[in-house]
């Protein structure tokens, strides 16, 4: 797809549409790529298909109305701007890695409370909006389950328990050793607890989607699987 410099900004995209009432599948991937929404062509086509079905009461089409497309771009840009504000600029992203979701007021095991950041490959905790702590790589998470944590005052907090494998790195100092790995010589797994103020169930769905995608990727080496999962989570 040939990239067009005039669509590098949201205003430029709208202007480039001219008087056309619709956007077609041929033009959409170029816009999506320049706007850094989706770089993979297959994922871009799938996203276009979703938008066209929204525009046609469930039926796939070859065009998306101008109004729906512009509304989608504005929503996407708003989410991206919110994610960037004084936060994600400090996350040390790897090549091809993007911030997918953030949620505030999350307590992680013994390292404290902050903003939880989910990327294509990792989970971070930002304690002061400038100091990211890498919690775990998604490929090393074995399972994710929800639970209720109770403190000494018997108040309850919704949480997510992650069981992680040590095969991709050393166990963090703040990680709780699981009962299975507490045995002498058995140290291949550890546990992380995430306590949420809001959105626990939604985040369990986000993490489950990305964890499964990484498991598939480890077998197939198909990077589009990660992109598709990230797109699903971003749009959720």
């Amino acid at each position: 797809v040939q990239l067009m410099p005039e669509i590098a900004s949201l205003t430029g995209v709208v202007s480039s549409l001219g008087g056309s009432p619709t956007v077609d599948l041929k033009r959409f991937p170029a816009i999506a790529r320049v706007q850094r929404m989706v770089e993979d062509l297959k994922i871009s086509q799938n996203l276009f298909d979703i938008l066209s079905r929204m525009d046609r009461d469930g039926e796939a089409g070859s065009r998306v109305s101008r109004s729906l497309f512009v509304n989608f771009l504005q929503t996407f840009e708003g989410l991206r701007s919110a994610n960037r504000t004084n936060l994600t600029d400090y996350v040390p992203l790897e090549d091809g890695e993007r911030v997918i979701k953030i949620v505030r007021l999350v307590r992680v095991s013994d390292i404290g409370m902050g903003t939880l950041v989910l990327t294509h490959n990792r989970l971070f905790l930002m304690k002061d909006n400038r100091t990211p702590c890498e919690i775990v790589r998604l490929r090393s998470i074995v399972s994710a389950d929800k639970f209720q944590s109770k403190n000494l005052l018997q108040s309850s907090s919704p949480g997510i328990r992650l069981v992680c494998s040590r095969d991709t790195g050393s166990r963090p100092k703040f990680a709780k050793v699981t009962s299975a790995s507490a045995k002498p010589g058995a140290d291949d797994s550890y546990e992380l607890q995430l306590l949420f103020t809001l959105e626990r169930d939604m985040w369990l769905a986000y993490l489950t989607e990305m964890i499964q995608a990484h498991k598939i990727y480890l077998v197939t080496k198909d990077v589009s699987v990660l992109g598709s999962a990230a797109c699903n989570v971003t749009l959720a």
Side-chain angles (χ1 to χ4, degrees), residues 14-213:
V14 176
S15 298
S16 71
L17 297 178
S20 175
T22 60
V23 178
D24 60 29
L25 180 56
K26 183 178 180 180
R27 187 171 181 80
F28 181 82
I31 296 175
R33 188 173 181 184
V34 174
Q35 286 288 305
R36 300 186 71 179
M37 291 186 292
V38 181
E39 296 184 4
D40 182 82
L41 179 59
K42 182 179 179 180
I43 298 173
S44 181
Q45 292 171 340
N46 290 341
L47 178 57
F48 183 88
D49 182 67
I50 293 172
L51 291 174
S52 69
R53 290 178 185 275
M54 291 174 62
D55 218 13
R56 297 166 57 89
D57 296 325
E59 296 183 8
S62 60
R63 291 181 173 274
V64 172
S65 70
R66 179 193 182 102
S67 59
L68 176 62
F69 182 65
V70 172
N71 183 61
F72 168 74
L73 285 179
Q74 291 172 336
T75 301
F76 182 87
E77 182 62 27
L79 290 171
R80 181 161 55 188
S81 297
N83 276 353
R84 286 176 176 171
T85 303
N86 298 324
L87 179 65
T88 57
D89 288 342
Y90 299 97
V91 178
L93 299 175
E94 300 171 342
D95 289 343
E97 188 178 24
R98 299 286 185 273
V99 171
I100 303 173
K101 289 287 185 179
I102 64 172
V103 63
R104 302 181 189 278
L105 300 178
V106 176
R107 181 174 294 279
V108 179
S109 294
D110 297 322
I111 65 173
M113 181 174 285
T115 299
L116 190 66
V117 180
L118 173 64
T119 73
H120 284 69
N121 301 328
R122 295 173 287 175
L123 272 177
F124 289 90
L125 186 71
M126 307 284 288
K127 296 185 67 175
D128 58 6
N129 285 354
R130 293 193 178 188
T131 308
C133 172
E134 180 181 319
I135 301 171
V136 66
R137 287 187 172 271
L138 301 181
R139 69 188 183 191
S140 67
I141 301 177
V142 178
S143 63
D145 301 286
K146 63 182 180 179
F147 73 101
Q148 291 293 130
S149 173
K150 291 186 178 181
N151 59 27
L152 295 176
L153 298 177
Q154 296 300 307
S155 61
S156 179
S157 298
I160 295 176
R161 180 182 292 109
L162 303 178
V163 176
C164 309
S165 171
R166 286 195 63 190
D167 59 2
T168 56
S170 300
R171 184 178 73 242
K173 293 180 180 180
F174 52 80
K176 179 181 179 182
V177 180
T178 63
S179 57
S181 63
K183 300 176 182 178
D187 59 349
D188 59 348
S189 65
Y190 61 93
E191 181 180 297
L192 294 171
Q193 295 184 355
L194 316 178
L195 302 182
F196 290 76
T197 304
L198 298 168
E199 302 182 6
R200 188 273 308 271
D201 290 350
M202 294 175 63
W203 269 78
L204 179 60
Y206 302 155
L207 289 172
T208 299
E209 178 91 15
M210 295 304 299
I211 292 168
Q212 291 303 317

